[in-house]
Amino acid sequence: LKTFAAENDLSPDSRQMSSSLWDGEDFKGDDGKSASILSRGPPAVIHVQNAGEVARAIPDTNGSLRHFRKQLMEAFWNGQIKSLKVYHYPGGKGGDIITVDVSHSPALVEILPDLYPHERVLLELLLESGVNELQVVLIEGVKEESTPDLVLDGRMAEMKTTRSLRSFIQYFNEANFQVYKHAKRHGLGWGTAVIHLTEQETVPVAYILEAINNRVFSRWKKITIEKYPLALDRIEVFARHDHKVFVKKADGTFGVL
């Protein structure tokens, strides 16, 4: 698709993204170097203007992509979508990482196929929070269960939604698994979890810090470190009327940004 982009004068857009860095011994990419979604080079950017171009921008390599491509073409045919941008980031073992930009076309949040209602809500919350870049990641293969949902400001990110505060740790762990497996496959860096606590009026900061700095890590080191160590260094948490960002500090614990 890079060749297709060049032949059709679809050069990659200039982009400013924050880097995700390796800063621990437990979690490293395939090359052991600092990495972000741009670490393997700039993406090929395809400006899709009609249904015919969808077929060339999104490959027919698995059932998930085939269904997504068909639904997207129908959205062009019925006039729901006029244009969009598809990004092809050079990947590792899993091939290209393919995304669809929604940060510059917010209306796509309600139109893109294969998104659950709670995912659309969380995408809208992210856009309202003022993110710079937001892209929906397409599933890489029917056998790959570890494709994070988003590229969020240059980093892979996984979305989770829960009504129960008690489930926060479970969804944090699941998000970590998704990001870790994908990062190992592509040689990428630290990622982000985006968690929506739908029944909380405000983000319970003390509870979350206690959970991730004590319950998560004491459990992690004993049980899961050899399988999939911590791969998250940023957690965005949304409540009904609140939004907080938690970041990994130099000492390995998390604090509020």
Side-chain angles (χ1 to χ4, degrees):
L1 282 171
K2 291 185 181 65
T3 302
F4 167 76
E7 291 175 350
N8 290 271
D9 195 28
L10 300 176
S11 57
D13 293 348
S14 60
R15 299 170 59 76
Q16 294 182 346
M17 290 184 173
S18 59
S19 297
S20 51
L21 304 176
W22 305 113
D23 62 0
E25 295 181 357
D26 291 329
F27 175 53
K28 296 188 177 185
D30 292 339
D31 56 6
K33 300 177 181 178
S34 298
S36 75
I37 189 65
L38 299 175
S39 63
R40 294 182 178 273
V45 183
I46 303 175
H47 298 260
V48 178
Q49 304 291 334
N50 55 60
E53 292 179 353
V54 170
R56 288 183 286 180
I58 299 175
D60 184 13
T61 53
N62 63 65
S64 296
L65 287 180
R66 192 175 303 118
H67 179 266
F68 184 90
R69 187 170 76 166
K70 179 181 178 181
Q71 296 297 312
L72 206 60
M73 292 173 72
E74 290 180 359
F76 269 97
W77 286 329
N78 64 31
Q80 286 182 287
I81 299 177
K82 303 297 182 182
S83 66
L84 55 79
K85 289 194 293 186
V86 176
Y87 290 78
H88 281 245
Y89 294 91
K93 297 177 183 178
D96 281 358
I97 301 169
I98 305 173
T99 72
V100 175
D101 177 72
V102 296
S103 51
H104 299 96
S105 303
L108 288 175
V109 170
E110 295 299 325
I111 301 172
L112 286 180
D114 297 340
L115 289 174
Y116 292 106
H118 67 269
E119 291 176 327
R120 299 186 196 277
V121 170
L122 198 41
L123 285 170
E124 290 175 350
L125 289 173
L126 283 166
L127 289 170
E128 291 171 2
S129 74
V131 298
N132 294 316
E133 295 291 341
L134 185 61
Q135 300 162 19
V136 174
V137 180
L138 306 191
I139 294 176
E140 294 174 4
V142 292
K143 295 183 179 180
E144 293 292 355
E145 297 181 357
S146 52
T147 302
D149 298 310
L150 308 172
V151 170
L152 175 59
D153 288 341
R155 305 154 55 89
M156 300 306 300
E158 175 70 9
M159 294 189 293
K160 297 295 180 184
T161 297
T162 177
R163 298 178 60 185
S164 171
L165 187 58
R166 290 183 178 181
S167 299
F168 176 85
I169 293 298
Q170 172 190 339
Y171 287 109
F172 180 94
N173 290 345
E174 290 179 3
N176 181 79
F177 177 79
Q178 296 285 96
V179 171
Y180 173 75
K181 294 292 287 185
H182 187 266
K184 291 294 288 183
R185 190 162 68 248
H186 290 285
L188 297 176
W190 296 94
T192 300
V194 183
I195 301 177
H196 187 194
L197 303 173
T198 60
E199 297 300 309
Q200 299 294 312
E201 295 296 326
T202 60
V203 175
V205 173
Y207 178 93
I208 289 175
L209 287 175
E210 171 73 14
I212 58 181
N213 286 332
N214 294 307
R215 277 184 279 173
V216 167
F217 296 124
S218 61
R219 175 175 176 270
W220 217 283
K221 292 293 183 180
K222 294 177 182 177
I223 299 176
T224 63
I225 191 68
E226 293 183 0
K227 292 184 178 180
Y228 42 96
L230 183 67
L232 301 170
D233 67 350
R234 185 182 179 94
I235 311 163
E236 305 235 3
V237 182
F238 288 87
R240 288 180 175 176
H241 306 292
D242 196 12
H243 171 220
K244 291 289 190 298
V245 180
F246 301 81
V247 295
K248 186 170 177 282
K249 300 184 294 184
D251 64 2
T253 63
F254 279 79
V256 182
L257 186 64

